[in-house]
Amino acid sequence: MFVRQLQDHEILDALHLVWDVFAGEIAPFYSPQGIAEFQNFIRIENFMVPVRNGAMVVFGAVEEGELCGVSAVRGNGHVALLFVKRNWQRRGVGRMLMASMEQYCIGELGVMRMTVNASPNAVEAYHRMGFRDTMPLMEQNGIRFVPMEKMAPPGIHPQKMGKVHKGLFVGIVTCAAVLSVFLLLLFVKVIFNITENRVYTDNYERFEEEMPQEYWWDDDGEDEEESEEGGIMAIRCYEAEELPYEIVEETYTYRSTVRASEYPMEFNIKYPQIEGLAGGKVDEVNEILKGCAMRTVDMLYLNPSDDMKEQMLKETDPFFASQVIYRVTYAGEDFISVTFSDHYYAGNYYLEFQDLRTINMRLSDAQEFVAADIVELDDAFMQDWHQRMKKEAPGAEVLERIEIEEFRSILKGEDPEGRYSDEFFVSADGIEIGLTYHYSDGTYLSRGWITAPFTLDALKEYRSDSDFWNLVQSAN
């Protein structure tokens, strides 16, 4: 699944998706007046006015060329649409679209407050994404809605895993003074952005005032855990029967206090540990797992480099944060594959990253495997891999900017500038091989991760003679 900004020529198809979902699942609960209002809102000639003026941006969630969901956000951080196709609902698509809008508001617009006028059936879904009610239920032009808002960092927003993250919001009282100053600055910035971004025509301004409600449809129902699946949480995991060890979860949390000697910091790091494993390598295995999860905390806080220290001295609004979640995607008798998703801020509120990190390790001797160990990186594999990557992320700029030969070097772990890192993981569906990237063209920072899926059979012709292949034969 890949979320990207839609171009003008793609908007009509997006609005068709919106109308199909609305007509089939929402319209029966609307009054005739409400249906007419919604039709007027998504009429292409009305909808394109703010899009072409730069006052509204539309995002699409795409999977193998299929448009699965649509969202839109205005230049002042106001969510205008959020719709997901019925066959893609309850799979985390709505949450991914919201995350893209939030990242756009913070990173591109500098808007730190998002708002939405949520239909009653969507209120709980917005609550789970960090929004709060600002007014009680209202009705206008036949449509009922609840005004809501969400503030961006200094607090980072946890991604739930069915468990409550403890420690992330501990210390709110002690940070009240810092937050008060920060929110005052945000208020000034929000007012500035609203002034700068309201570039509507007279007709659209009138229409916006008459029809302020916003629309959500992801059919969340009561199954919160299922609806939140996305990113690494959507991976289908494998666990062998009667494992000779137990996997337990540990957490590292830290939040800075209001002291002149400390920068604002928030860390909430979850990672797996192995217990009951026979042999002398269990401590080494656990240190490797913990070290992978803690990599950003180590870089930013525990063991910063001289360059990092120098960078922080130049920051006017410093901020460090890292939130790590994980999945044990493969657990075999003598092998484990773990994916970590690290959402972090590396110095300020605009240096936001989302990295994928992986560990693939034989437990008996703590031997780690990387992509270059398990497949021959010949021309046939590289062409196949590149096509699968492009299919996973159509239009991704990172896949077009460099040549196959450089990708080959990346999968060998050869990138001294640290712009790319090769990653792979094993799951119940096979093996995914890809990369995490963050680079700048001088004006724009690109960051993210993409992986290409292979079944074990699809990799047979590319396999190396590594012992790895004796460890994962039962993955499917």
Side-chain angles (χ1 to χ4, degrees), residues 5 54 57 59 73 99-110:
Q5 186 174 333
V57 173
F59 292 92
V73 63
S100 294
M101 290 190 291
E102 183 173 356
Q103 181 174 328
Y104 177 80
C105 287
I106 297 170
E108 301 297 321
L109 302 177

Side-chain angles (χ1 to χ4, degrees), residues 321-435:
S322 176
Q323 182 203 7
V324 174
I325 60 175
Y326 72 90
R327 294 208 82 186
V328 179
T329 58
Y330 183 98
E333 182 177 345
D334 191 28
F335 177 80
I336 192 170
S337 182
V338 185
T339 64
F340 298 88
S341 176
D342 187 0
H343 179 200
Y344 65 98
Y345 295 81
N348 61 55
Y349 298 105
Y350 302 101
L351 288 175
E352 180 185 17
F353 300 89
Q354 185 85 36
D355 285 3
L356 176 75
R357 294 198 291 270
T358 59
I359 290 289
N360 298 277
M361 182 166 43
R362 184 162 53 200
L363 298 176
S364 56
D365 59 3
Q367 179 183 344
E368 296 182 65
F369 300 92
V370 295
D373 294 330
I374 70 169
V375 292
E376 300 291 346
L377 302 178
D378 55 21
D379 290 346
F381 171 79
M382 292 306 302
Q383 290 292 339
D384 189 357
W385 174 83
H386 194 237
Q387 289 301 314
R388 290 171 186 262
M389 290 283 280
K390 292 174 72 173
K391 187 176 181 180
E392 284 297 299
E397 194 266 348
V398 66
L399 299 179
E400 305 294 339
R401 73 186 303 268
I402 58 180
E403 302 295 328
I404 291 289
E405 198 58 40
E406 186 172 352
F407 278 124
R408 196 195 316 266
S409 297
I410 292 168
L411 293 183
K412 290 179 179 179
E414 300 170 357
D415 182 44
E417 296 182 12
R419 299 166 300 169
Y420 310 94
S421 64
D422 60 300
E423 310 291 347
F424 87 91
F425 62 85
V426 187
S427 72
D429 296 313
I431 297 175
E432 298 203 18
I433 303 173
L435 53 84

Side-chain angles (χ1 to χ4, degrees), residues 250-253 267-271 293-294 297 322-324:
E250 293 194 7
T251 304
Y252 170 89
T253 60
F267 301 122
N268 187 36
I269 315 300
K270 293 189 177 294
Y271 54 93
M294 294 283 290
V297 177
S322 176
Q323 182 203 7
V324 174

Side-chain angles (χ1 to χ4, degrees), residues 110-348:
V111 172
M112 300 296 182
R113 174 177 175 266
M114 296 184 71
T115 59
V116 65
N117 292 336
S119 56
N121 67 299
V123 169
E124 288 307 312
Y126 279 110
H127 282 162
R128 291 195 293 270
M129 290 188 291
F131 284 80
R132 69 176 187 88
D133 304 0
T134 57
M135 295 184 68
L137 182 67
M138 305 175 66
E139 183 170 345
Q140 188 170 347
N141 296 333
I143 298 178
R144 301 162 70 230
F145 59 93
V146 176
M148 307 180 77
E149 71 174 4
K150 177 182 182 179
M151 299 300 297
I156 61 175
H157 307 302
Q159 301 173 25
K160 296 181 182 177
M161 296 177 58
K163 300 179 181 178
V164 177
H165 291 295
K166 298 180 179 179
L168 188 60
F169 297 106
V170 174
I172 289 178
V173 174
T174 59
C175 293
V178 169
L179 291 177
S180 297
V181 173
F182 186 79
L183 291 176
L184 178 60
L185 294 174
L186 291 184
F187 176 76
V188 173
K189 188 160 191 148
V190 167
I191 295 300
F192 173 79
N193 276 283
I194 291 174
T195 303
E196 290 293 307
N197 287 292
R198 289 186 62 86
V199 193
Y200 306 109
T201 64
D202 290 342
N203 285 339
Y204 192 80
E205 284 177 342
R206 176 184 59 79
F207 177 71
E208 184 187 37
E209 290 171 359
E210 292 175 353
M211 203 287 296
Q213 67 282 343
E214 314 305 335
Y215 303 90
W216 158 286
W217 193 252
D218 196 4
D219 193 23
D220 268 31
E222 299 299 324
D223 194 345
E224 177 178 341
E225 183 174 352
E226 183 180 4
S227 70
E228 291 181 352
E229 289 187 353
I232 68 169
M233 302 310 292
I235 300 171
R236 204 165 65 90
C237 302
Y238 170 87
E239 181 175 317
E241 297 181 1
E242 299 181 0
L243 289 176
Y245 55 86
E246 182 182 359
I247 302 172
V248 299
E249 180 177 281
E250 293 194 7
T251 304
Y252 170 89
T253 60
Y254 180 75
R255 184 169 185 161
S256 59
T257 56
V258 184
R259 295 202 301 262
S261 60
E262 277 195 323
Y263 297 118
M265 289 180 284
E266 293 185 3
F267 301 122
N268 187 36
I269 315 300
K270 293 189 177 294
Y271 54 93
Q273 296 283 268
I274 303 298
E275 291 186 350
L277 180 66
K281 292 293 185 177
V282 64
D283 290 341
E284 186 175 347
V285 167
N286 284 333
E287 280 300 311
I288 291 171
L289 292 171
K290 180 179 179 180
C292 188
M294 294 283 290
R295 191 176 301 171
T296 299
V297 177
D298 193 63
M299 174 187 70
L300 298 179
Y301 175 55
L302 298 178
N303 294 291
S305 65
D306 290 339
D307 288 343
M308 176 59 68
K309 294 176 183 177
E310 184 177 348
Q311 175 188 332
M312 293 312 300
L313 291 174
K314 299 176 182 178
E315 291 288 349
T316 55
D317 295 303
F319 180 61
F320 291 139
S322 176
Q323 182 203 7
V324 174
I325 60 175
Y326 72 90
R327 294 208 82 186
V328 179
T329 58
Y330 183 98
E333 182 177 345
D334 191 28
F335 177 80
I336 192 170
S337 182
V338 185
T339 64
F340 298 88
S341 176
D342 187 0
H343 179 200
Y344 65 98
Y345 295 81
N348 61 55

